[in-house]
Amino acid sequence: MPQPLVGMELSDLREALGPERPGYRAKQIYEALYRGQASDFVQISTLPAAMRADLAAHHSVGLPEIARVYQSTDGTRRYLLQLDDGKTVETVLMPESERDTICISSQVGCPVDCKFCMTALLGLERSLTAGEIVGQVLLVARENQLRQDGGRLNVVMMGQGEPLLNLENVTKAARILLDPEGFGLSPRRLTVSTAGIVPKIDELGREPVRPKLAISLNASTEESRQELMPITRKYHLKDLMEVCRRYPLRPWEKLTFEYVLLKGVNDSDADARRVVRLLAHLNCNVNLIALNPGPEIPYETPAAERVASFQQIVRRAVPCFVRKPRGLDIYAACGQLKRASGN
Ligand code: SAH
């Protein structure tokens, strides 16, 4: 099988091309693949024709295939992408007036088992490679003519999977996406979201090049968090708060906490006050997400007034926003990625 090049950093590319090729060739290919979003070696016009043919004989660019595209009435697009081994994964594009956000997956399925999330029902099939993570961004950017340098494009690792349980590939993908000579995304425009894998948060903090960090809090007490997110039986709320306190934020950076509101479960004013107590001393924002319902999900969406009341309370302590659901009609919204057909 030809060796895929997307997912390689410059040093990997030099090695793959072999010592007989001058180093600047690797650089040209690196720039063409990431900054240039090339999908075919033929398009790399800085290379001599013979080299393009030779590359094509031994390597592939390595982008995923589009298996299907689902178009929402609100402009959101959900891509079902097929990987080399035939497995499929989802990527979502959310265009807005001021910005475009690509939501990418880090694993096929997810091992975390949150009780309100449809991806949990898949279980974990496997982790994605760095190339498969970067490939989702390259493909969707190219399909929609999105430029990384226009200040509009944001990428969030909030699709299928728990990124911090695939940290090595996620950080490698981040280095490629954030390298000014690579894809060239600003570090303010790349966010990774975790269910709260405490030791991996410390590890991420030690990476010199890394995305911004979002943490799925989703409950205001240890007991309710353990019930909703069984993985947190291992990673306690108290330890999560401690790792957040010592997390080395960059001068421009804040933590983001996500909180899924489930009717009658974690959406009371008392919950909101406990969230305030947990977060008041952190440099952070809160994003509230009213549950996106799904078949097999045993929870309901709270009424808009409940959401507003929760927000009012949290907002007294930290900036708090309500995230608008996107692509609900095509199963593209938070917690709905399950390769479901529909529309
Ligand atoms: N595993 C990571 C990455 C997934 S991000 C994490 O847990 O952060 C997905 C976000 O959607 C999480 O904040 C999660 O809490 C939220 N979510 C999951 N299911 C949802 C649902 N049914 N409705 C609304 N939000 C949901």
Side-chain angles (χ1 to χ4, degrees):
M1 205 155 93
Q3 184 187 30
L5 296 189
V6 161
M8 291 191 181
E9 292 182 80
L10 189 53
S11 55
D12 307 324
L13 259 180
R14 285 209 182 96
E15 208 171 298
L17 294 176
E20 62 282 3
R21 291 221 178 84
Y24 69 90
R25 292 296 185 200
K27 184 83 188 291
Q28 284 173 322
I29 296 169
Y30 181 80
E31 288 182 354
L33 285 178
Y34 300 122
R35 189 136 41 119
Q37 302 177 12
S39 59
D40 195 312
F41 295 120
V42 180
Q43 297 167 348
I44 311 183
S45 54
T46 48
L47 302 178
M51 189 180 290
R52 290 185 232 168
D54 189 43
L55 272 177
H58 300 100
H59 305 277
S60 64
V61 172
L63 293 179
E65 298 270 329
I66 299 180
R68 247 193 110 166
V69 186
Y70 301 88
Q71 174 73 47
S72 164
T73 50
D74 70 11
T76 300
R77 277 192 190 144
R78 177 164 67 96
Y79 289 85
L80 188 64
L81 301 180
Q82 181 154 1
L83 309 170
D84 269 351
D85 63 355
K87 289 195 185 295
T88 53
V89 82
E90 292 162 297
T91 305
V92 178
L93 170 65
M94 293 163 281
E96 286 174 89
S97 55
E98 306 284 307
R99 62 176 181 187
D100 301 305
T101 304
I102 302 177
C103 176
I104 61 175
S105 296
S106 57
Q107 299 182 306
V108 183
C110 185
V112 171
D113 204 25
C114 298
K115 297 304 173 201
F116 44 80
C117 179
M118 285 170 67
T119 308
L121 302 169
L122 295 173
L124 175 67
E125 293 192 20
R126 70 168 170 87
S127 281
L128 296 183
T129 63
E132 289 165 337
I133 297 170
V134 174
Q136 297 171 64
V137 177
L138 293 175
L139 187 77
V140 173
R142 205 197 57 218
E143 284 292 306
N144 296 278
Q145 282 108 44
L146 307 176
R147 296 291 322 169
Q148 55 272 54
D149 43 20
R152 280 186 57 92
L153 183 61
N154 290 277
V155 176
V156 296
M157 296 189 190
M158 299 187 182
Q160 285 185 12
E162 169 46 52
L164 295 201
L165 292 178
N166 185 18
L167 187 58
E168 201 179 317
N169 290 321
V170 161
T171 50
K172 183 169 189 176
R175 286 194 298 272
I176 294 169
L177 292 172
L178 298 177
D179 181 0
E181 315 274 310
F183 187 67
L185 198 65
S186 148
R188 296 159 199 251
R189 297 187 172 276
L190 180 65
T191 301
V192 65
S193 176
T194 179
I197 315 296
V198 172
K200 298 289 178 182
I201 295 177
D202 271 324
E203 255 182 69
L204 180 68
R206 286 195 288 271
E207 289 290 327
V209 176
R210 57 183 149 98
K212 293 198 296 183
L213 180 60
I215 294 167
S216 298
L217 182 62
N218 295 341
S220 70
T221 66
E222 178 73 51
E223 195 192 359
S224 127
R225 196 157 186 267
Q226 287 191 9
E227 201 165 299
L228 297 172
M229 306 171 74
I231 201 171
T232 65
R233 288 175 198 156
K234 214 159 131 198
Y235 305 110
H236 297 166
L237 189 54
K238 185 172 143 288
D239 300 328
L240 178 65
M241 289 302 125
E242 250 164 53
V243 75
C244 288
R245 273 194 287 277
R246 64 175 179 259
Y247 192 75
L249 290 171
R250 290 156 285 190
W252 47 267
E253 189 176 11
K254 283 183 172 200
L255 290 170
T256 297
F257 288 90
E258 295 146 290
Y259 193 104
V260 187
L261 291 164
L262 312 172
K263 182 177 175 178
V265 175
N266 66 356
D267 65 344
S268 69
D269 287 352
D271 282 299
R273 286 191 289 270
R274 280 192 291 267
V275 168
V276 166
R277 279 199 291 279
L278 284 171
L279 304 185
H281 300 292
L282 291 171
N283 184 12
C284 67
N285 289 323
V286 173
N287 281 339
L288 300 177
I289 320 169
L291 176 79
N292 297 315
E296 301 168 77
I297 298 298
Y299 299 102
E300 287 172 67
T301 311
E305 305 81 71
R306 184 87 299 275
V307 176
S309 167
F310 198 99
Q311 181 190 22
Q312 287 296 343
I313 294 172
V314 175
R315 209 158 54 182
R316 286 184 217 140
V318 292
C320 179
F321 309 92
V322 179
R323 210 191 272 165
K324 243 197 307 175
R326 300 290 312 264
L328 269 176
D329 56 340
I330 55 162
Y331 284 97
C334 297
Q336 294 193 310
L337 298 185
K338 198 198 157 194
R339 300 181 306 213
S341 47
N343 216 4

